[in-house]
mmCIF file of all heavy atoms in Angstrom:
data_model
loop_
_atom_site.group_PDB
_atom_site.id
_atom_site.type_symbol
_atom_site.label_atom_id
_atom_site.label_comp_id
_atom_site.label_asym_id
_atom_site.label_seq_id
_atom_site.Cartn_x
_atom_site.Cartn_y
_atom_site.Cartn_z
ATOM 1 N N LEU A 1 106.818 95.488 99.993
ATOM 2 C CA LEU A 1 106.516 96.500 101.002
ATOM 3 C C LEU A 1 107.762 96.773 101.857
ATOM 4 O O LEU A 1 108.469 95.835 102.247
ATOM 5 C CB LEU A 1 105.413 96.013 101.948
ATOM 6 C CG LEU A 1 103.975 95.946 101.440
ATOM 7 C CD1 LEU A 1 103.064 95.556 102.589
ATOM 8 C CD2 LEU A 1 103.543 97.269 100.849
ATOM 9 N N ILE A 2 107.995 98.009 102.128
ATOM 10 C CA ILE A 2 109.065 98.410 103.041
ATOM 11 C C ILE A 2 108.411 98.962 104.298
ATOM 12 O O ILE A 2 107.721 99.993 104.233
ATOM 13 C CB ILE A 2 109.985 99.481 102.419
ATOM 14 C CG1 ILE A 2 110.496 99.035 101.043
ATOM 15 C CG2 ILE A 2 111.164 99.789 103.358
ATOM 16 C CD1 ILE A 2 111.340 97.805 101.063
ATOM 17 N N VAL A 3 108.583 98.279 105.417
ATOM 18 C CA VAL A 3 108.011 98.731 106.678
ATOM 19 C C VAL A 3 109.130 99.289 107.547
ATOM 20 O O VAL A 3 110.074 98.579 107.901
ATOM 21 C CB VAL A 3 107.296 97.573 107.412
ATOM 22 C CG1 VAL A 3 106.779 98.047 108.766
ATOM 23 C CG2 VAL A 3 106.137 97.050 106.576
ATOM 24 N N ASP A 4 108.999 100.556 107.887
ATOM 25 C CA ASP A 4 109.982 101.214 108.756
ATOM 26 C C ASP A 4 109.391 101.295 110.163
ATOM 27 O O ASP A 4 108.578 102.168 110.466
ATOM 28 C CB ASP A 4 110.305 102.621 108.233
ATOM 29 C CG ASP A 4 111.442 103.283 108.983
ATOM 30 O OD1 ASP A 4 111.849 102.739 110.035
ATOM 31 O OD2 ASP A 4 111.917 104.352 108.545
ATOM 32 N N TYR A 5 109.818 100.375 111.005
ATOM 33 C CA TYR A 5 109.303 100.319 112.363
ATOM 34 C C TYR A 5 109.805 101.469 113.232
ATOM 35 O O TYR A 5 109.325 101.659 114.369
ATOM 36 C CB TYR A 5 109.660 98.985 113.009
ATOM 37 C CG TYR A 5 108.876 97.811 112.472
ATOM 38 C CD1 TYR A 5 109.388 96.997 111.481
ATOM 39 C CD2 TYR A 5 107.611 97.526 112.978
ATOM 40 C CE1 TYR A 5 108.656 95.920 110.987
ATOM 41 C CE2 TYR A 5 106.875 96.458 112.508
ATOM 42 C CZ TYR A 5 107.405 95.661 111.504
ATOM 43 O OH TYR A 5 106.671 94.605 111.029
ATOM 44 N N ASN A 6 110.760 102.247 112.729
ATOM 45 C CA ASN A 6 111.273 103.378 113.493
ATOM 46 C C ASN A 6 110.321 104.578 113.449
ATOM 47 O O ASN A 6 110.431 105.484 114.261
ATOM 48 C CB ASN A 6 112.632 103.814 112.938
ATOM 49 C CG ASN A 6 113.666 102.690 112.979
ATOM 50 O OD1 ASN A 6 113.840 102.060 114.018
ATOM 51 N ND2 ASN A 6 114.335 102.430 111.865
ATOM 52 N N LEU A 7 109.382 104.577 112.486
ATOM 53 C CA LEU A 7 108.471 105.716 112.340
ATOM 54 C C LEU A 7 107.391 105.695 113.417
ATOM 55 O O LEU A 7 106.870 104.648 113.779
ATOM 56 C CB LEU A 7 107.801 105.671 110.966
ATOM 57 C CG LEU A 7 108.695 105.862 109.729
ATOM 58 C CD1 LEU A 7 107.844 105.716 108.467
ATOM 59 C CD2 LEU A 7 109.356 107.231 109.772
ATOM 60 N N PRO A 8 107.021 106.882 113.910
ATOM 61 C CA PRO A 8 105.887 106.956 114.828
ATOM 62 C C PRO A 8 104.597 106.551 114.107
ATOM 63 O O PRO A 8 104.481 106.683 112.880
ATOM 64 C CB PRO A 8 105.843 108.436 115.230
ATOM 65 C CG PRO A 8 107.180 108.985 114.862
ATOM 66 C CD PRO A 8 107.658 108.188 113.691
ATOM 67 N N PHE A 9 103.631 106.065 114.858
ATOM 68 C CA PHE A 9 102.356 105.623 114.279
ATOM 69 C C PHE A 9 101.709 106.725 113.448
ATOM 70 O O PHE A 9 101.257 106.482 112.320
ATOM 71 C CB PHE A 9 101.419 105.203 115.410
ATOM 72 C CG PHE A 9 100.117 104.615 114.937
ATOM 73 C CD1 PHE A 9 99.993 103.258 114.711
ATOM 74 C CD2 PHE A 9 99.013 105.440 114.732
ATOM 75 C CE1 PHE A 9 98.783 102.716 114.272
ATOM 76 C CE2 PHE A 9 97.813 104.903 114.299
ATOM 77 C CZ PHE A 9 97.692 103.546 114.069
ATOM 78 N N ALA A 10 101.670 107.944 113.987
ATOM 79 C CA ALA A 10 101.020 109.048 113.280
ATOM 80 C C ALA A 10 101.673 109.322 111.924
ATOM 81 O O ALA A 10 100.998 109.657 110.947
ATOM 82 C CB ALA A 10 101.045 110.296 114.136
ATOM 83 N N GLU A 11 102.984 109.155 111.847
ATOM 84 C CA GLU A 11 103.685 109.388 110.581
ATOM 85 C C GLU A 11 103.394 108.279 109.588
ATOM 86 O O GLU A 11 103.264 108.520 108.374
ATOM 87 C CB GLU A 11 105.194 109.510 110.816
ATOM 88 C CG GLU A 11 105.951 109.971 109.583
ATOM 89 C CD GLU A 11 107.396 110.308 109.863
ATOM 90 O OE1 GLU A 11 107.735 110.485 111.057
ATOM 91 O OE2 GLU A 11 108.189 110.388 108.914
ATOM 92 N N MET A 12 103.269 107.038 110.075
ATOM 93 C CA MET A 12 102.917 105.921 109.186
ATOM 94 C C MET A 12 101.551 106.183 108.533
ATOM 95 O O MET A 12 101.360 105.928 107.343
ATOM 96 C CB MET A 12 102.832 104.614 109.975
ATOM 97 C CG MET A 12 104.170 104.021 110.359
ATOM 98 S SD MET A 12 103.921 102.371 111.111
ATOM 99 C CE MET A 12 105.635 101.825 111.288
ATOM 100 N N VAL A 13 100.615 106.727 109.318
ATOM 101 C CA VAL A 13 99.288 107.039 108.784
ATOM 102 C C VAL A 13 99.382 108.205 107.800
ATOM 103 O O VAL A 13 98.808 108.170 106.718
ATOM 104 C CB VAL A 13 98.314 107.380 109.936
ATOM 105 C CG1 VAL A 13 96.981 107.886 109.376
ATOM 106 C CG2 VAL A 13 98.090 106.147 110.810
ATOM 107 N N ALA A 14 100.124 109.261 108.191
ATOM 108 C CA ALA A 14 100.206 110.461 107.355
ATOM 109 C C ALA A 14 100.822 110.191 105.991
ATOM 110 O O ALA A 14 100.463 110.837 105.008
ATOM 111 C CB ALA A 14 101.027 111.528 108.095
ATOM 112 N N LEU A 15 101.727 109.203 105.902
ATOM 113 C CA LEU A 15 102.368 108.906 104.617
ATOM 114 C C LEU A 15 101.369 108.391 103.581
ATOM 115 O O LEU A 15 101.652 108.384 102.393
ATOM 116 C CB LEU A 15 103.471 107.853 104.836
ATOM 117 C CG LEU A 15 104.755 108.364 105.509
ATOM 118 C CD1 LEU A 15 105.680 107.195 105.826
ATOM 119 C CD2 LEU A 15 105.461 109.369 104.608
ATOM 120 N N GLY A 16 100.187 107.967 104.040
ATOM 121 C CA GLY A 16 99.170 107.482 103.110
ATOM 122 C C GLY A 16 98.419 108.598 102.399
ATOM 123 O O GLY A 16 97.740 108.352 101.399
ATOM 124 N N HIS A 17 98.533 109.837 102.913
ATOM 125 C CA HIS A 17 97.871 111.006 102.304
ATOM 126 C C HIS A 17 96.391 110.713 102.028
ATOM 127 O O HIS A 17 95.882 110.972 100.933
ATOM 128 C CB HIS A 17 98.585 111.424 101.014
ATOM 129 C CG HIS A 17 100.017 111.809 101.201
ATOM 130 N ND1 HIS A 17 100.411 112.965 101.852
ATOM 131 C CD2 HIS A 17 101.175 111.162 100.870
ATOM 132 C CE1 HIS A 17 101.742 113.030 101.891
ATOM 133 N NE2 HIS A 17 102.220 111.941 101.310
ATOM 134 N N TYR A 18 95.707 110.191 103.026
ATOM 135 C CA TYR A 18 94.302 109.850 102.878
ATOM 136 C C TYR A 18 93.436 111.105 102.947
ATOM 137 O O TYR A 18 93.795 112.098 103.589
ATOM 138 C CB TYR A 18 93.864 108.867 103.978
ATOM 139 C CG TYR A 18 94.695 107.616 104.015
ATOM 140 C CD1 TYR A 18 95.660 107.422 104.996
ATOM 141 C CD2 TYR A 18 94.519 106.626 103.057
ATOM 142 C CE1 TYR A 18 96.445 106.283 105.021
ATOM 143 C CE2 TYR A 18 95.283 105.467 103.078
ATOM 144 C CZ TYR A 18 96.237 105.309 104.056
ATOM 145 O OH TYR A 18 97.010 104.178 104.085
ATOM 146 N N ASP A 19 92.287 111.032 102.290
ATOM 147 C CA ASP A 19 91.339 112.138 102.361
ATOM 148 C C ASP A 19 90.571 112.112 103.677
ATOM 149 O O ASP A 19 90.037 113.138 104.106
ATOM 150 C CB ASP A 19 90.365 112.052 101.178
ATOM 151 C CG ASP A 19 91.068 112.281 99.853
ATOM 152 O OD1 ASP A 19 91.535 113.409 99.606
ATOM 153 O OD2 ASP A 19 91.203 111.310 99.073
ATOM 154 N N TRP A 20 90.486 110.984 104.312
ATOM 155 C CA TRP A 20 89.891 110.891 105.649
ATOM 156 C C TRP A 20 90.470 109.676 106.370
ATOM 157 O O TRP A 20 90.875 108.700 105.732
ATOM 158 C CB TRP A 20 88.367 110.817 105.603
ATOM 159 C CG TRP A 20 87.816 109.459 105.251
ATOM 160 C CD1 TRP A 20 87.485 108.450 106.104
ATOM 161 C CD2 TRP A 20 87.553 108.961 103.938
ATOM 162 N NE1 TRP A 20 87.035 107.353 105.408
ATOM 163 C CE2 TRP A 20 87.067 107.632 104.081
ATOM 164 C CE3 TRP A 20 87.669 109.499 102.657
ATOM 165 C CZ2 TRP A 20 86.705 106.863 102.985
ATOM 166 C CZ3 TRP A 20 87.317 108.726 101.568
ATOM 167 C CH2 TRP A 20 86.839 107.421 101.745
ATOM 168 N N VAL A 21 90.498 109.757 107.695
ATOM 169 C CA VAL A 21 90.969 108.682 108.552
ATOM 170 C C VAL A 21 90.006 108.544 109.713
ATOM 171 O O VAL A 21 89.637 109.528 110.344
ATOM 172 C CB VAL A 21 92.393 108.963 109.113
ATOM 173 C CG1 VAL A 21 92.826 107.847 110.054
ATOM 174 C CG2 VAL A 21 93.397 109.120 107.964
ATOM 175 N N ASN A 22 89.569 107.321 109.987
ATOM 176 C CA ASN A 22 88.662 107.089 111.103
ATOM 177 C C ASN A 22 89.331 107.486 112.414
ATOM 178 O O ASN A 22 90.476 107.124 112.687
ATOM 179 C CB ASN A 22 88.273 105.602 111.139
ATOM 180 C CG ASN A 22 87.186 105.304 112.133
ATOM 181 O OD1 ASN A 22 87.368 105.429 113.333
ATOM 182 N ND2 ASN A 22 86.034 104.881 111.628
ATOM 183 N N ASP A 23 88.614 108.241 113.232
ATOM 184 C CA ASP A 23 89.174 108.752 114.500
ATOM 185 C C ASP A 23 89.550 107.664 115.483
ATOM 186 O O ASP A 23 90.331 107.907 116.413
ATOM 187 C CB ASP A 23 88.176 109.710 115.160
ATOM 188 C CG ASP A 23 87.967 110.992 114.372
ATOM 189 O OD1 ASP A 23 88.854 111.332 113.582
ATOM 190 O OD2 ASP A 23 86.909 111.636 114.545
ATOM 191 N N ASN A 24 88.994 106.472 115.320
ATOM 192 C CA ASN A 24 89.288 105.376 116.235
ATOM 193 C C ASN A 24 90.611 104.679 115.930
ATOM 194 O O ASN A 24 91.016 103.778 116.672
ATOM 195 C CB ASN A 24 88.160 104.350 116.213
ATOM 196 C CG ASN A 24 86.890 104.866 116.870
ATOM 197 O OD1 ASN A 24 86.897 105.236 118.036
ATOM 198 N ND2 ASN A 24 85.810 104.927 116.110
ATOM 199 N N ILE A 25 91.240 105.060 114.831
ATOM 200 C CA ILE A 25 92.514 104.423 114.464
ATOM 201 C C ILE A 25 93.639 105.142 115.195
ATOM 202 O O ILE A 25 94.097 106.224 114.786
ATOM 203 C CB ILE A 25 92.716 104.457 112.933
ATOM 204 C CG1 ILE A 25 91.595 103.670 112.246
ATOM 205 C CG2 ILE A 25 94.089 103.864 112.558
ATOM 206 C CD1 ILE A 25 91.629 103.744 110.742
ATOM 207 N N THR A 26 94.064 104.555 116.295
ATOM 208 C CA THR A 26 95.123 105.127 117.122
ATOM 209 C C THR A 26 96.166 104.062 117.443
ATOM 210 O O THR A 26 95.913 102.861 117.279
ATOM 211 C CB THR A 26 94.528 105.650 118.456
ATOM 212 O OG1 THR A 26 93.997 104.539 119.204
ATOM 213 C CG2 THR A 26 93.414 106.655 118.208
ATOM 214 N N SER A 27 97.308 104.505 117.915
ATOM 215 C CA SER A 27 98.384 103.573 118.256
ATOM 216 C C SER A 27 98.012 102.701 119.443
ATOM 217 O O SER A 27 98.505 101.587 119.596
ATOM 218 C CB SER A 27 99.675 104.349 118.558
ATOM 219 O OG SER A 27 99.473 105.260 119.629
ATOM 220 N N LYS A 28 97.114 103.197 120.299
ATOM 221 C CA LYS A 28 96.687 102.423 121.461
ATOM 222 C C LYS A 28 95.790 101.263 121.023
ATOM 223 O O LYS A 28 95.921 100.136 121.534
ATOM 224 C CB LYS A 28 95.949 103.324 122.449
ATOM 225 C CG LYS A 28 95.511 102.594 123.719
ATOM 226 C CD LYS A 28 94.843 103.551 124.693
ATOM 227 C CE LYS A 28 94.403 102.836 125.963
ATOM 228 N NZ LYS A 28 93.760 103.772 126.935
ATOM 229 N N ARG A 29 94.892 101.506 120.089
ATOM 230 C CA ARG A 29 93.966 100.461 119.636
ATOM 231 C C ARG A 29 94.594 99.542 118.602
ATOM 232 O O ARG A 29 94.180 98.399 118.455
ATOM 233 C CB ARG A 29 92.699 101.103 119.075
ATOM 234 C CG ARG A 29 91.822 101.709 120.167
ATOM 235 C CD ARG A 29 90.518 102.222 119.617
ATOM 236 N NE ARG A 29 89.610 102.581 120.710
ATOM 237 C CZ ARG A 29 88.875 103.677 120.747
ATOM 238 N NH1 ARG A 29 88.940 104.536 119.747
ATOM 239 N NH2 ARG A 29 88.054 103.901 121.760
ATOM 240 N N PHE A 30 95.574 100.050 117.859
ATOM 241 C CA PHE A 30 96.212 99.244 116.812
ATOM 242 C C PHE A 30 97.734 99.308 117.004
ATOM 243 O O PHE A 30 98.447 99.943 116.219
ATOM 244 C CB PHE A 30 95.804 99.770 115.420
ATOM 245 C CG PHE A 30 94.335 99.605 115.136
ATOM 246 C CD1 PHE A 30 93.433 100.606 115.471
ATOM 247 C CD2 PHE A 30 93.855 98.440 114.550
ATOM 248 C CE1 PHE A 30 92.076 100.435 115.225
ATOM 249 C CE2 PHE A 30 92.515 98.268 114.291
ATOM 250 C CZ PHE A 30 91.616 99.273 114.637
ATOM 251 N N PRO A 31 98.228 98.675 118.067
ATOM 252 C CA PRO A 31 99.662 98.747 118.380
ATOM 253 C C PRO A 31 100.519 98.040 117.319
ATOM 254 O O PRO A 31 100.093 97.075 116.688
ATOM 255 C CB PRO A 31 99.759 98.040 119.739
ATOM 256 C CG PRO A 31 98.578 97.127 119.766
ATOM 257 C CD PRO A 31 97.487 97.835 119.027
ATOM 258 N N ILE A 32 101.725 98.563 117.167
ATOM 259 C CA ILE A 32 102.692 97.986 116.223
ATOM 260 C C ILE A 32 103.942 97.577 116.997
ATOM 261 O O ILE A 32 104.469 98.351 117.798
ATOM 262 C CB ILE A 32 103.049 99.020 115.139
ATOM 263 C CG1 ILE A 32 101.833 99.296 114.248
ATOM 264 C CG2 ILE A 32 104.229 98.537 114.289
ATOM 265 C CD1 ILE A 32 102.041 100.383 113.225
ATOM 266 N N VAL A 33 104.385 96.359 116.740
ATOM 267 C CA VAL A 33 105.585 95.838 117.398
ATOM 268 C C VAL A 33 106.601 95.417 116.327
ATOM 269 O O VAL A 33 106.272 94.622 115.443
ATOM 270 C CB VAL A 33 105.258 94.625 118.311
ATOM 271 C CG1 VAL A 33 106.523 94.066 118.944
ATOM 272 C CG2 VAL A 33 104.239 95.016 119.372
ATOM 273 N N GLY A 34 107.793 95.943 116.385
ATOM 274 C CA GLY A 34 108.826 95.600 115.413
ATOM 275 C C GLY A 34 110.005 96.536 115.521
ATOM 276 O O GLY A 34 109.930 97.575 116.191
ATOM 277 N N GLU A 35 111.089 96.174 114.863
ATOM 278 C CA GLU A 35 112.303 96.989 114.894
ATOM 279 C C GLU A 35 112.909 97.105 113.517
ATOM 280 O O GLU A 35 112.808 96.189 112.692
ATOM 281 C CB GLU A 35 113.332 96.369 115.844
ATOM 282 C CG GLU A 35 112.916 96.322 117.302
ATOM 283 C CD GLU A 35 113.989 95.688 118.190
ATOM 284 O OE1 GLU A 35 114.957 95.125 117.626
ATOM 285 O OE2 GLU A 35 113.860 95.778 119.419
ATOM 286 N N GLY A 36 113.550 98.240 113.276
ATOM 287 C CA GLY A 36 114.298 98.436 112.041
ATOM 288 C C GLY A 36 113.424 98.599 110.820
ATOM 289 O O GLY A 36 112.244 98.917 110.897
ATOM 290 N N VAL A 37 114.040 98.370 109.674
ATOM 291 C CA VAL A 37 113.361 98.479 108.378
ATOM 292 C C VAL A 37 113.312 97.072 107.793
ATOM 293 O O VAL A 37 114.345 96.426 107.590
ATOM 294 C CB VAL A 37 114.100 99.443 107.433
ATOM 295 C CG1 VAL A 37 113.407 99.496 106.082
ATOM 296 C CG2 VAL A 37 114.189 100.838 108.052
ATOM 297 N N VAL A 38 112.111 96.592 107.484
ATOM 298 C CA VAL A 38 111.937 95.217 107.037
ATOM 299 C C VAL A 38 111.205 95.196 105.694
ATOM 300 O O VAL A 38 110.256 95.958 105.470
ATOM 301 C CB VAL A 38 111.101 94.410 108.080
ATOM 302 C CG1 VAL A 38 110.985 92.954 107.628
ATOM 303 C CG2 VAL A 38 111.739 94.499 109.455
ATOM 304 N N ARG A 39 111.694 94.337 104.805
ATOM 305 C CA ARG A 39 111.077 94.170 103.485
ATOM 306 C C ARG A 39 110.132 92.966 103.518
ATOM 307 O O ARG A 39 110.500 91.902 104.012
ATOM 308 C CB ARG A 39 112.140 93.984 102.396
ATOM 309 C CG ARG A 39 113.034 95.174 102.190
ATOM 310 C CD ARG A 39 114.142 94.884 101.201
ATOM 311 N NE ARG A 39 113.650 94.854 99.822
ATOM 312 C CZ ARG A 39 113.694 93.800 99.033
ATOM 313 N NH1 ARG A 39 114.185 92.646 99.501
ATOM 314 N NH2 ARG A 39 113.280 93.865 97.787
ATOM 315 N N TYR A 40 108.948 93.164 102.976
ATOM 316 C CA TYR A 40 107.968 92.085 102.874
ATOM 317 C C TYR A 40 107.495 91.946 101.442
ATOM 318 O O TYR A 40 107.465 92.912 100.684
ATOM 319 C CB TYR A 40 106.730 92.385 103.741
ATOM 320 C CG TYR A 40 106.993 92.408 105.239
ATOM 321 C CD1 TYR A 40 107.350 93.575 105.886
ATOM 322 C CD2 TYR A 40 106.847 91.251 105.988
ATOM 323 C CE1 TYR A 40 107.562 93.606 107.252
ATOM 324 C CE2 TYR A 40 107.064 91.256 107.366
ATOM 325 C CZ TYR A 40 107.418 92.448 107.985
ATOM 326 O OH TYR A 40 107.635 92.455 109.344
ATOM 327 N N GLU A 41 107.099 90.735 101.088
ATOM 328 C CA GLU A 41 106.389 90.491 99.848
ATOM 329 C C GLU A 41 104.899 90.499 100.203
ATOM 330 O O GLU A 41 104.504 89.992 101.240
ATOM 331 C CB GLU A 41 106.792 89.140 99.259
ATOM 332 C CG GLU A 41 106.241 88.914 97.859
ATOM 333 C CD GLU A 41 106.722 87.576 97.280
ATOM 334 O OE1 GLU A 41 107.411 86.832 98.008
ATOM 335 O OE2 GLU A 41 106.371 87.292 96.125
ATOM 336 N N ALA A 42 104.100 91.114 99.354
ATOM 337 C CA ALA A 42 102.657 91.235 99.645
ATOM 338 C C ALA A 42 101.828 90.860 98.422
ATOM 339 O O ALA A 42 102.286 91.000 97.277
ATOM 340 C CB ALA A 42 102.324 92.649 100.090
ATOM 341 N N LYS A 43 100.635 90.384 98.675
ATOM 342 C CA LYS A 43 99.678 90.093 97.604
ATOM 343 C C LYS A 43 98.271 90.470 98.052
ATOM 344 O O LYS A 43 97.987 90.534 99.254
ATOM 345 C CB LYS A 43 99.692 88.608 97.216
ATOM 346 C CG LYS A 43 100.830 88.179 96.307
ATOM 347 C CD LYS A 43 100.644 86.738 95.838
ATOM 348 C CE LYS A 43 101.752 86.307 94.891
ATOM 349 N NZ LYS A 43 101.528 84.929 94.387
ATOM 350 N N LEU A 44 97.403 90.677 97.074
ATOM 351 C CA LEU A 44 95.987 90.904 97.349
ATOM 352 C C LEU A 44 95.211 89.707 96.797
ATOM 353 O O LEU A 44 95.373 89.331 95.648
ATOM 354 C CB LEU A 44 95.502 92.183 96.648
ATOM 355 C CG LEU A 44 96.052 93.493 97.187
ATOM 356 C CD1 LEU A 44 95.586 94.643 96.314
ATOM 357 C CD2 LEU A 44 95.600 93.717 98.631
ATOM 358 N N PHE A 45 94.377 89.121 97.659
ATOM 359 C CA PHE A 45 93.508 88.027 97.230
ATOM 360 C C PHE A 45 92.067 88.515 97.220
ATOM 361 O O PHE A 45 91.602 89.126 98.189
ATOM 362 C CB PHE A 45 93.646 86.843 98.198
ATOM 363 C CG PHE A 45 94.863 86.009 97.961
ATOM 364 C CD1 PHE A 45 96.099 86.418 98.436
ATOM 365 C CD2 PHE A 45 94.770 84.819 97.278
ATOM 366 C CE1 PHE A 45 97.234 85.639 98.229
ATOM 367 C CE2 PHE A 45 95.887 84.018 97.064
ATOM 368 C CZ PHE A 45 97.130 84.438 97.536
ATOM 369 N N GLN A 46 91.362 88.216 96.144
ATOM 370 C CA GLN A 46 89.942 88.511 96.047
ATOM 371 C C GLN A 46 89.239 87.268 95.513
ATOM 372 O O GLN A 46 89.594 86.778 94.445
ATOM 373 C CB GLN A 46 89.684 89.715 95.128
ATOM 374 C CG GLN A 46 88.243 90.166 95.106
ATOM 375 C CD GLN A 46 88.053 91.399 94.261
ATOM 376 O OE1 GLN A 46 88.801 91.659 93.313
ATOM 377 N NE2 GLN A 46 87.058 92.209 94.591
#
């Protein structure tokens, strides 16, 4: 995963090209703290 902390919250959401987004998902309710561009390794567990 490449996380660009320089992007505004709305742009991070828009990059997902979702067919719908819950109206309660806002930067105030789901704040993001970080700087720069950071690489992460990710996995899905089920």
Side-chain angles (χ1 to χ4, degrees):
L1 287 185
I2 308 297
V3 177
D4 187 350
Y5 286 97
N6 301 310
L7 295 177
F9 185 90
E11 189 170 344
M12 285 187 174
V13 173
L15 286 172
H17 299 291
Y18 303 104
D19 294 292
W20 79 89
V21 177
N22 188 294
D23 292 338
N24 289 302
I25 299 175
T26 64
S27 59
K28 182 177 180 179
R29 287 186 170 136
F30 295 90
I32 292 174
V33 178
E35 296 180 349
V37 178
V38 183
R39 296 175 74 242
Y40 293 90
E41 189 177 3
K43 281 188 178 183
L44 292 174
F45 281 79
Q46 186 176 28

